[in-house]
Amino acid sequence: MRLTGLIISGFRGFPEPVTLDLDADAVIVSGVNGSGKTSMFDAILWALTGSIGRLRGEPKDVVSAYSPTGEARVELQLQRDGVPIRVVRRFDGDHHLSVTADGGETTIEAAAETTLVELLWPDAKSAPNPGEALSQSLTRATYLQQDVVRQFVEADDEQDRFRVVGELVGVGRITELQKQLESSKRSWSLATTAREKEIDPLRGEHTSLVERLRRLGTADAPMFESAALSDWVTQTEHVVPDINAVELRTQTSEAVDRALGVIAARQRRVERTVGALERVHDHLMSPPPEPAPTEPFRERVESSTEAIAQASEQLRDAQEAAATARRQQAELQDQAESLRTLAALALRHLGESCPVCSQQYDHEETRARLEAMVASSNTPPIQVPIDGVQAAAAAHEQAQRELAVDQAALRSAEQSQVAREQWRQGLAALAVDLGLDLEGDVESEVVRRLATVQDEIAQLQYLHTAGEDFSLKLARMAEQTQRSEIENQLAALRGEIAAREVEQSARTRTAELASELLVGLRTASRAIVTDELERISQPLQRIYSAVEPHPSFRAVRFLTGVARNQGQVWTALLDEVEGKEIQRPSVVLSSSQLNVLAVCTFLSLNLAIETLPLQVVALDDPLQSLDTVNLLGLADLLRRVRATRQVIISTHDERLADLLARKLRPVAGSAARTRLIRLDAWSRSGPVVDQRDIPLDPLPLKLVAAS
């Protein structure tokens, strides 16, 4: 299938309608950068696939900013075995597609997409995204875009290269089947793991039931007399009025256990009553002595207090009299001492007359009298009443001792009365809880009640002991019933676990078979891709040798490998003279040489794969980074390619366009046709388009044989 015509309107660099004649063996598109060359190639790709992957923009981005209708429209004309095919794609906010094949009925929209895939790439019909598979086949082996020239040899990783080659050689669906199987296997494994986890609770339940069965033991059920239990129930109802008689008559283990709880609670209450009665009895048995009257002791205390007051007054009087006598004695002593001092002073100044009044006196008599006064040391005695003070003090002390004795006797009488009152209050408090009448014979009532409640305790103890025996026997009987139920549950559970384990075994085997199938699919796809790459390596080497981009690394080949169960592809360069191999061409090749290698790889894939959608080689200005020698070699190579492929190539270099026109011109004796399309003077209406055929070379092409 080849291209014959293209009509572009409102698409990217072509706002106004432009009709291009592509019905030629070689089409050379010439024009400066920005004149619309890439837009022409993108129009072809968009018409066939509905997208331009490298742009990664919104669908509306393909509409020219100067489109007079606000829509993009591309009509692509193709031919297969002489039968025309017409593809029309539009975008006006929505995608529209129509395909007319063999001049017959026109299909539109989704049906047209299906028709287009069937016409161009039937293998993509079973792909999850047929349009994407078709686009990949076109952009990797038919249309070499100028901004992704080196993607295959440099940008793609080893796994991506393997997938690209696999898609081109027809194992893409195997790869997708492998992915689907891997996804299904993962889901299957997750489900299998989940089911395995579901068995774990069943196994845990099985273990629990086995343990319960072990605890139940293997002893036979004890002998049980229903009449004895009925008697016990009757006695319990009589002794314990608050028992649930209706439930107890069911004679179940649960009812007996609850009755035992009621009996135990009543036992505790009765025991508390016994304790209270015993405390009252003990209280009655240890009353305090009768209290002594306090009035006589108060009178004696008052009398002693008055005696102390009188003794205190007498003591004060005696003490005051003694103090007065001592004071008088001291005054007399002071007076006598003053006279002696004055006499001594007068003797010191004694003269013929008085030094004060100058009177005459008897000098000798005066001296004698003064000396006698100085020599005298006696003071007139005064009698101090000491005996009266001592007697008053002794009387006061005796009165205090008598008061202390009387006060102690009064306190003792008062305490005996308080103790008696406290004893009565304690008895009243104990009697209130028991409802005893303190006016009656409390002691007899306490003794009578003690006998009654002790009898009740004995009955309750008997009922509790007998009830525990009945509960145990009923529980043993229930255990036997429960044992049968557990054994039935175990049998059913073992059956379910066994069935699930069989299912798990089958699922595990299925997963193993899926793994084996995956291994087979991976091996088969790798084998196919490896064989195809071996075959493609031959034209790759021929094409690479014709261009000779490197002086020493003159051999090239594809290498394959496996990593993490994923196929890998490398492009390796070899220096066969020195025996060196480079698996990363960018290490030894310049940018221009890498472009040449990329073009050679692209052409080898295009020429070696016979099932490509179009028998076309479309190169969008791939020569702009090439050296002159590489350009000449590539031009010669394209001339050979033209024999088996429709060649569509663009360039921004006018001289190169002329060179390609000469190299790709038709020659005498050939029915080939070469078209030259020049794009020039781009404006808001689009480029000026000049189309013409390259004239036939009248002389046949001569090849010089190597000597």
Side-chain angles (χ1 to χ4, degrees), residues 507-677:
R507 293 183 69 88
T508 302
R509 178 54 185 159
T510 301
E512 293 172 353
L513 291 175
S515 298
E516 294 173 4
L517 183 57
L518 279 171
V519 171
L521 288 173
R522 294 190 190 106
T523 303
S525 61
R526 287 198 297 268
I528 293 173
V529 173
T530 301
D531 291 345
E532 287 297 315
L533 286 174
E534 286 290 335
R535 185 176 63 83
I536 297 172
S537 291
Q538 298 176 8
L540 173 62
Q541 180 60 54
R542 289 197 298 270
I543 295 171
Y544 185 79
S545 298
V547 180
E548 290 189 351
H550 196 278
S552 60
F553 287 97
R554 297 185 175 183
V556 62
R557 66 176 180 178
F558 291 120
L559 299 178
T560 60
V562 179
R564 298 185 297 276
N565 292 324
Q566 299 293 326
Q568 296 182 315
V569 174
W570 297 270
T571 303
L573 299 177
L574 295 90
D575 181 352
E576 295 178 331
V577 176
E578 294 292 333
K580 297 183 180 297
E581 179 178 282
I582 300 296
Q583 295 187 7
R584 292 181 58 199
S586 60
V587 174
V588 296
L589 298 183
S590 67
S591 178
S592 177
Q593 290 170 331
L594 279 173
N595 283 341
V596 174
L597 176 61
V599 173
C600 292
T601 303
F602 173 81
L603 290 175
S604 67
L605 293 173
N606 184 282
L607 295 174
I609 299 173
E610 299 177 354
T611 58
L612 292 178
L614 299 174
Q615 301 301 304
V616 176
V617 174
L619 305 174
D620 182 15
D621 209 356
L623 315 178
Q624 56 183 334
S625 300
L626 302 185
D627 296 333
T628 302
V629 175
N630 301 138
L631 289 175
L632 292 173
L634 189 57
D636 288 334
L637 178 62
L638 292 175
R639 183 177 59 190
R640 300 177 187 177
V641 170
R642 185 184 61 175
T644 57
R645 291 287 189 272
Q646 180 185 20
V647 176
I648 303 177
I649 185 170
S650 70
T651 179
H652 67 284
D653 191 328
E654 192 68 27
R655 293 173 300 173
L656 179 58
D658 294 338
L659 173 63
L660 291 172
R662 290 194 302 274
K663 290 287 187 179
L664 301 179
R665 69 187 184 278
V667 295
S670 170
R673 183 190 183 200
T674 301
R675 291 281 291 169
L676 177 62
I677 300 175

Side-chain angles (χ1 to χ4, degrees), residues 400-458:
Q400 285 183 329
R401 284 197 294 269
E402 291 175 355
L403 176 61
V405 172
D406 293 339
Q407 286 177 336
L410 177 60
R411 283 196 299 273
S412 177
E414 289 176 343
Q415 289 174 355
S416 66
Q417 289 184 348
V418 170
R420 189 70 178 183
E421 183 60 27
Q422 289 176 344
W423 181 84
R424 288 176 179 174
Q425 291 177 356
L427 179 61
L430 293 171
V432 167
D433 293 337
L434 295 172
L436 293 173
D437 184 8
L438 295 179
E439 299 299 327
D441 188 353
V442 178
E443 183 177 353
S444 299
E445 179 65 18
V446 169
V447 172
R448 185 189 65 79
R449 289 195 185 185
L450 273 174
T452 301
V453 295
Q454 285 172 351
D455 289 342
E456 185 177 359
I457 285 178

Side-chain angles (χ1 to χ4, degrees), residues 319-357:
Q319 288 174 341
E320 287 177 358
T324 300
R326 291 190 188 94
R327 191 165 50 252
Q328 291 174 351
Q329 181 71 34
E331 290 175 354
L332 290 174
Q333 289 177 351
D334 288 342
Q335 185 178 7
E337 186 64 29
S338 297
L339 289 174
R340 282 194 296 273
T341 302
L342 290 174
L345 182 62
L347 281 174
R348 191 180 307 153
H349 298 284
L350 186 65
E352 293 299 327
S353 61
C354 178
V356 177
C357 63

Side-chain angles (χ1 to χ4, degrees), residues 20 30 33 116 128 182 198 224 281 289 370 531 541 617 699:
L20 302 175
S30 173
N33 290 331
L116 200 55
E182 287 175 344
E198 291 175 358
F224 189 79
H281 186 267
L370 290 173
D531 291 345
Q541 180 60 54
V617 174
L699 297 176

